[in-house]
Amino acid sequence: MNPGLPAGVVFDHSALLTLGVGHPMLSALVVQAHREAGRHVFVPAVCLAAASSIRPALGEHVGALPVLEVVELGYAGALSVGRLIEQGVDWQRAHAVTVARPDPEWPAGRRPVVTESPKAYAGLGVVTIQIPSDLR
């Protein structure tokens, strides 16, 4: 495993839309997760719903890639997402924040959100990785 890269990343809705058009960096992350044990690409279900509302076939594409781990909302997640929305976080991003924050399975967090809009996550307690636009 490459020690310079995080073991897990979270794709928000913008990352999913960008993956769907074949962005090389995102495709490389998916391939790496497929090839290397211990690498994870998390897809929050609400982010998938947001991306699928824009590009309906994207849901089937994500479903066909077993290495993409769709994270269900669940009770605790729903409460967290609801609090974030109440605080003014866009619903499309709220589940990504919830997944990226530390939890019992990932106590140190360390799951950056891959996004086109890192500024939208400022002050929310998550690390982001900006999708380079020059690689499209």
Side-chain angles (χ1 to χ4, degrees):
M1 189 175 339
N2 182 338
L5 295 172
V9 295
V10 177
F11 281 9
D12 78 353
H13 68 289
S14 69
L16 291 168
L17 289 167
T18 306
L19 173 68
V21 295
H23 191 282
M25 181 190 98
L26 301 181
S27 296
L29 286 171
V30 171
V31 168
Q32 192 171 41
H34 178 73
R35 291 184 178 161
E36 295 181 32
R39 294 270 179 219
H40 303 274
V41 178
F42 297 102
V43 176
V46 174
C47 296
L48 180 57
S52 294
S53 74
I54 296 166
R55 191 173 296 133
L58 184 63
E60 294 171 13
H61 179 66
V62 169
L65 298 170
V67 71
L68 298 180
E69 301 176 42
V70 177
V71 180
E72 295 180 6
L73 192 54
Y75 177 73
L79 295 180
S80 176
V81 167
R83 282 192 294 274
L84 287 164
I85 293 169
E86 188 266 330
Q87 294 168 9
V89 176
D90 290 338
W91 69 271
Q92 298 94 326
R93 293 181 179 88
H95 197 193
V97 171
T98 297
V99 172
R101 287 179 172 169
D103 64 16
E105 197 171 349
W106 291 75
R110 306 269 193 269
R111 291 175 288 181
V113 176
V114 180
T115 183
E116 288 185 334
S117 306
K119 290 180 182 176
Y121 292 92
L124 296 174
V126 298
V127 175
T128 57
I129 296 174
Q130 183 164 7
I131 301 166
S133 59
D134 60 332
L135 295 178
R136 288 186 206 163

